[in-house]
Amino acid sequence: MTAKIIDGKALSLKLRVAFRARVSKLIDQGIRPGLAVILLGDNAASRVYVRNKINACDDCGLKSFPHLLSPDTTQDQLLELIEGLNEDEEVHGILVQLPLPPHIDMRKILEAIAVDKDVDGFHLYNVGSLVVGNSIFPPCTPYGVQLLLDTTGIDVAGKNVVVVGASNIVGKPMALMLLQKEATVTVCHAKTRDLAQHTILADILIVAAGVPGLITGQLVKRDAIVIDVGINKLPDGSIVGDVDFASVKERASWLTPVPGGVGPMTVTMLIENTLRSAERRLGIGRGIGSEGWDAASL
């Protein structure tokens, strides 16, 4: 049986329709949500990501504040910019595009962003809050994966879930979010011995290792649900994930494609977090996964 495709692009488009309605309501109350995006340097991939985020703001009616800085911008200059954005009433979310140049202390920069504007979900407060299941802004990629599972009708409670990759951006927060949903979670990483003995037992396999084609059909339990977070550019210019799509689709029950799976959801959840920030300023408590949303209806 060939796996059913979990279409992140289609879900993203549905969400953005709902986002536009939320933006209109906020504008009626005197607030237009605004996202500040900071980019240092000339990294080609980072420029594409920043452009996609600015385009998403335009698509949903948010105001964007791009800050494209030279690679020799000092850490003090960057901190001064963030301090000003923290105080700016028009800015509801602040995103610093990673990676940063070597002379910048990433942790110090991320901690400088006000917690109530940390829409990337990387501040220590938001990361720590994941442990108790009360994060204001969940990290965007794990948040998108969670919603893909929810809207597909996949209940993770009691399931064996294996996360391949232990980054602070995806793997670790993903594991914490799954634990809050009562899944049994195993996290594999570069030092894991015999990866296959873990992946073959997974009811749900989430792969975020940054290694093209790492997971083949032989490593996947029959009828498993496979979420491919990887985005890798090959020498011929093609984009592939960490999962060998051709072999895994013959064993999995559900599978995300690359591109068109998790990627569109990451940007869309950034917009969701920015909207949530603006709504919090008005005392509106809503968002995906909370009382204001019914995931099954999306």
Side-chain angles (χ1 to χ4, degrees):
M1 182 183 74
T2 301
K4 297 177 184 178
I5 300 301
I6 303 176
D7 191 338
K9 184 175 181 180
L11 177 56
S12 178
L13 291 174
K14 287 184 180 180
L15 288 168
R16 293 189 186 192
V17 171
F19 291 171
R20 292 181 202 116
R22 288 166 66 183
V23 170
S24 294
K25 290 182 179 179
L26 285 166
I27 291 174
D28 288 343
Q29 297 180 69
I31 289 183
R32 184 182 179 190
L35 174 66
V37 182
I38 301 172
L39 172 65
L40 270 73
D42 301 313
N43 182 288
S46 292
R47 284 189 172 274
V48 171
Y49 295 145
V50 165
R51 184 171 67 245
N52 289 342
K53 290 162 185 175
I54 292 171
N55 289 342
C57 287
D58 294 340
D59 181 44
C60 296
L62 282 73
K63 189 171 183 178
S64 60
F65 301 90
H67 295 269
L68 308 180
L69 309 179
S70 67
D72 58 356
T73 298
T74 68
Q75 181 163 294
D76 286 343
Q77 288 172 326
L78 181 53
L79 288 170
E80 183 178 354
L81 171 60
I82 291 172
E83 182 178 352
L85 294 172
N86 284 339
E87 300 298 324
D88 191 335
E89 291 292 318
E90 291 190 75
V91 174
H92 301 90
I94 302 170
L95 178 147
V96 178
Q97 184 64 46
L98 303 178
L100 290 169
H103 68 281
I104 303 290
D105 184 338
M106 180 186 70
R107 178 53 58 193
K108 186 170 290 187
I109 296 304
L110 296 180
E111 290 177 6
I113 298 171
V115 172
D116 60 355
K117 295 188 179 185
D118 172 41
V119 292
D120 239 352
F122 294 158
H123 191 283
L124 284 176
Y125 178 91
N126 280 315
V127 174
S129 295
L130 286 174
V131 177
V132 294
N134 194 32
S135 179
I136 299 174
F137 303 118
C140 298
T141 298
Y143 197 8
V145 170
Q146 175 184 290
L147 193 61
L148 284 172
L149 292 170
D150 288 348
T151 55
T152 307
I154 297 167
D155 183 5
V156 304
K159 300 288 198 308
N160 289 326
V161 183
V162 173
V163 179
V164 180
S167 72
N168 292 333
I169 294 173
V170 181
K172 291 175 185 176
M174 186 80 258
L176 290 169
M177 293 170 74
L178 290 163
L179 284 171
Q180 290 297 328
K181 295 280 189 176
E182 300 183 312
T184 301
V185 183
T186 300
V187 179
C188 299
H189 45 77
K191 298 295 184 181
T192 298
R193 292 179 295 177
D194 194 358
L195 179 63
Q197 74 173 339
H198 298 283
T199 62
I200 201 68
L201 298 176
D203 301 312
I204 301 173
L205 180 61
I206 300 172
V207 191
V211 180
L214 174 66
I215 301 298
T216 62
Q218 292 180 326
L219 277 66
V220 176
K221 176 182 176 182
R222 186 163 295 281
D223 294 330
I225 297 151
V226 181
I227 307 294
D228 189 353
V229 182
I231 300 177
N232 308 287
K233 188 172 183 178
L234 299 182
D236 64 3
S238 60
I239 302 296
V240 299
D242 292 350
V243 172
D244 178 58
F245 189 87
S247 62
V248 171
K249 73 176 182 179
E250 302 302 324
R251 292 185 63 85
S253 58
W254 291 92
L255 175 62
T256 58
V258 176
V262 175
M265 292 298 296
T266 297
V267 177
T268 297
M269 302 324 292
L270 174 66
I271 302 300
E272 155 65 19
N273 278 346
T274 305
L275 281 174
R276 179 180 292 189
S277 175
E279 289 166 343
R280 282 170 54 85
R281 189 172 295 180
L282 291 175
I284 303 172
R286 64 172 299 167
I288 294 167
S290 72
E291 59 191 45
W293 288 81
D294 177 9
S297 69
L298 294 172

